[in-house]
Amino acid sequence: MAEKMIVIDTSKCTACRGCQTACKQWNNLSAVVTENHGSYENPPDLSYSTYTRILFNEVEKDGGLSWFFGQDRCMHCSDAGCMKACPVPGAITRDSNGAVVINQDVCTGCKYCVFGCPFDIPRFDRGNAEGAGVDKAFKCTMCFDRQSMGMEPACTKTCPTGALSFTRSSGLPAVKAMARQKGLSVYDGGALNTHVVFLLEDKPSVYGLPDKPALPAATYLRSVLKPLGVVLFLAGVFAAIAHFVAIGPGETDEEGGDSDV
Ligand code: SF4
Ligand code: SF4
């Protein structure tokens, strides 16, 4: 399957939250009981049952107040910090379309992915009322299950204004050209090369996005420590074999001491 991307043209978003609702409906995610915290944002955060939400950024501009609607959602990075941080083989995988997917059957709930994500996306389920999915990490799957059946993600299918669209990643140059014509900047995570691309009217931080996203240092440390651990393990095995060949097996005397040292 060709790699795909979700393009979010923020200049077209009206914050109707149809995408939020469609995501919950398709993924069978429960509603969250919320309180009014003085913001239209609802729910107040991502969770095991909220994979995407609209951000209401109210900004002073040209002597007045303006809304800049952003989205909190997995960016499906090509260089994914969550995958680099995860120590469990098969817990986070990449689909052939580019989607980064957490497999809750394999996830051990160690939360390394939570700390490895530069966009603060995976949420750890501390146990939910339904008693399902306890102690696992959750996030958007880019509807890889819908895609496997030839359908686009629920959010892009639903958006009534055309703010969300789903297309081949190879179409990025055309998207950039279109954005230039409209005076919008393109945000694709820089070196992280994300499969979710924002078209912005202002700088990323206005929309709640990091201006210069980068992998947390811990993910680099882990990518160094992991091969180092393998090298040290092999060195230990080699040393044991060398000792066996040079000196032979140790023998234990009748009093329990080691006879050859
Ligand atoms: S945004 Fe975070 S959770 Fe999503 S792929 Fe990138 S690193 Fe992983
Ligand atoms: S469905 Fe489209 S217009 Fe409505 S909130 Fe989502 S992106 Fe914005």
Side-chain angles (χ1 to χ4, degrees):
M1 196 185 290
E3 290 208 10
K4 302 282 180 47
M5 63 179 174
I6 292 174
V7 180
I8 303 176
D9 184 344
T10 57
S11 70
K12 291 183 179 173
C13 178
T14 60
C16 70
R17 291 186 286 211
C19 47
Q20 267 186 221
T21 310
C23 176
K24 278 189 181 276
Q25 186 179 34
W26 175 258
N27 292 296
N28 203 18
L29 303 174
S30 57
V32 179
V33 178
T34 58
E35 294 173 7
N36 188 336
H37 292 282
S39 164
Y40 286 111
E41 282 180 19
N42 180 24
D45 195 9
L46 297 176
S47 71
Y48 70 89
S49 65
T50 302
Y51 295 170
T52 182
R53 68 190 193 104
I54 295 296
L55 303 176
F56 287 67
N57 303 294
E58 197 173 12
V59 177
E60 276 188 29
K61 196 167 187 185
D62 303 329
L65 290 173
S66 298
W67 288 115
F68 288 84
F69 301 126
Q71 292 203 7
D72 213 2
R73 55 154 66 210
C74 175
M75 300 289 283
H76 297 281
C77 316
S78 295
D79 191 7
C82 59
M83 292 185 78
K84 280 191 165 156
C86 179
V88 183
I92 306 181
T93 54
R94 184 181 301 283
D95 213 45
S96 58
N97 57 15
V100 176
V101 181
I102 297 178
N103 181 353
Q104 276 82 27
D105 290 338
V106 181
C107 170
T108 61
C110 71
K111 293 192 263 187
Y112 280 31
C113 60
V114 174
F115 302 113
C117 174
F119 296 99
D120 184 28
I121 296 301
R123 289 295 184 272
F124 179 68
D125 174 16
R126 294 177 199 283
N128 59 59
E130 295 83 16
V134 175
D135 294 345
K136 308 282 181 182
F138 290 83
K139 69 170 193 69
C140 159
T141 66
M142 206 164 144
C143 285
F144 75 102
D145 49 350
R146 285 176 62 92
Q147 290 191 56
S148 69
M149 294 183 281
M151 296 189 287
E152 64 181 297
C155 57
T156 60
K157 176 74 177 168
T158 300
C159 180
T161 66
L164 300 185
S165 56
F166 186 62
T167 183
R168 286 179 179 238
S169 296
S170 57
L172 186 58
V175 170
K176 285 183 173 175
M178 181 271 289
R180 251 195 316 275
Q181 277 183 354
K182 291 179 66 179
L184 303 172
S185 63
V186 176
Y187 183 90
D188 61 357
L192 303 181
N193 193 14
T194 56
H195 288 82
V196 172
V197 174
F198 282 88
L199 308 186
L200 306 175
E201 295 177 287
D202 209 316
K203 59 185 178 186
S205 55
V206 168
Y207 296 85
L209 293 163
D211 283 324
K212 292 184 179 163
L215 293 181
T219 56
Y220 291 108
L221 200 60
R222 187 177 149 64
S223 59
V224 170
L225 289 179
K226 199 171 175 182
L228 192 64
V230 173
V231 169
L232 289 176
F233 173 75
L234 291 176
V237 171
F238 181 76
I241 293 172
H243 180 274
F244 182 84
V245 170
I247 301 175
E251 291 175 8
T252 305
D253 62 25
E254 288 180 354
E255 292 173 3
D258 199 350
S259 64
D260 60 357
V261 291

